[in-house]
Amino acid sequence: MRVPLHPAGGREIALILLLFGGLAAIAFGFVLAGFAWFWPIGGLAILLGGGGVLFFRDPERTPPTEPGIFVAPADGKLVEATALDHHPDIGGPATRIGIFLSVFNVHVNRSPCAGVVRTIRYEPGQFLDARDPQSSSKNEANTLVIEPDEPMGGPVVVRQIAGKIARRVICTLKVGDRIEIGQRIGLIKFGSRTELIVPGHDQFKIVAPMGKQVRGASTILARRQPLTEPVDTVRQT
């Protein structure tokens, strides 16, 4: 039976259980000794410890089977869809779609499509608030360039970006790996931002509502547009 917690959080989970479990044990020890007012401390320790462990939850997801789609690469709020004149990993015009992950969201990242990993690049940087658009270019990040299966066209880029609280980006893939839509690709610890960057300005229609929550591997983020139907789908921020 699979434990629904991401293995990359093993060290943090152990520390959380040791710290808050120990605090709860001490508090309830005082309660048994007659100091009833230690009950709230013990209860708070259990709540905080449970919340810390739940941060690393890793639920199973079943991606949609509809052809010509990109699914959300992360849980969180859709905060940005910006037209870029040029993106170096795309090799031309592109559209950047940004998702903000709060500490309450699942932080496992997923592949937006089926394809092959062509590049993985770690970029050290700052730790600006992940809701700040400047975090895209200034924060610590991990960039994956994926060559999607036909007929999606590509390449496409997924960027795992550390936030003000997040201090570690985990990628579980290597160059040359074959990945399926919705497959786990890594984890960002404690609040962050995930971006999907797709080619062009009208090749894909963003169908998820701006400002709303999306679910990694489950929410359809964008659909490929017919070549005969140019559509202006990019929201400027």
Side-chain angles (χ1 to χ4, degrees), residues 115-220:
V116 177
V117 178
R118 294 305 185 196
T119 304
I120 299 176
R121 185 176 65 253
Y122 170 74
E123 306 161 36
Q126 301 179 35
F127 296 96
L128 300 176
D129 190 308
R131 288 166 291 191
D132 186 340
Q134 292 189 70
S135 66
S136 177
S137 59
K138 294 186 177 181
N139 279 21
E140 174 182 324
N142 193 65
T143 299
L144 293 88
V145 181
I146 302 170
E147 181 182 325
D149 290 350
E150 294 295 340
M152 292 301 287
V156 299
V157 178
V158 176
R159 300 194 73 231
Q160 302 169 279
I161 303 171
K164 192 172 185 179
I165 301 175
R167 298 284 164 160
R168 192 176 180 197
V169 177
I170 303 294
C171 178
T172 56
L173 301 178
K174 62 181 184 297
V175 173
D177 278 353
R178 165 78 193 175
I179 53 176
E180 301 301 328
I181 186 170
Q183 179 178 326
R184 297 170 179 85
I185 62 175
L187 172 78
I188 315 177
K189 298 182 179 181
F190 302 114
S192 51
R193 177 184 177 96
T194 302
E195 295 179 345
L196 171 64
I197 302 167
V198 299
H201 297 162
D202 56 14
Q203 294 183 35
F204 299 93
K205 180 180 181 181
I206 302 169
V207 295
M210 187 62 58
K212 300 297 184 180
Q213 293 287 319
V214 297
R215 284 164 53 90
S218 298
T219 301
I220 298 176

Side-chain angles (χ1 to χ4, degrees), residues 18-32:
L18 181 63
L19 174 62
F20 290 103
L23 180 60
I26 292 172
F28 290 129
F30 275 104
V31 171
L32 293 175

Side-chain angles (χ1 to χ4, degrees), residues 4-83:
L5 296 172
H6 199 284
R11 182 182 64 178
E12 287 82 358
I13 291 172
L15 290 173
I16 288 169
L17 292 177
L18 181 63
L19 174 62
F20 290 103
L23 180 60
I26 292 172
F28 290 129
F30 275 104
V31 171
L32 293 175
F35 298 93
W37 56 272
F38 271 88
W39 268 107
I41 297 176
L44 181 61
I46 291 175
L47 287 175
L48 291 175
V53 171
L54 285 176
F55 176 86
F56 297 98
R57 65 195 184 278
D58 183 11
E60 294 291 348
R61 299 279 171 82
T62 301
T65 57
E66 179 182 338
I69 61 170
F70 288 122
V71 296
D75 289 34
K77 181 187 289 188
L78 188 60
V79 295
E80 181 190 9
T82 301

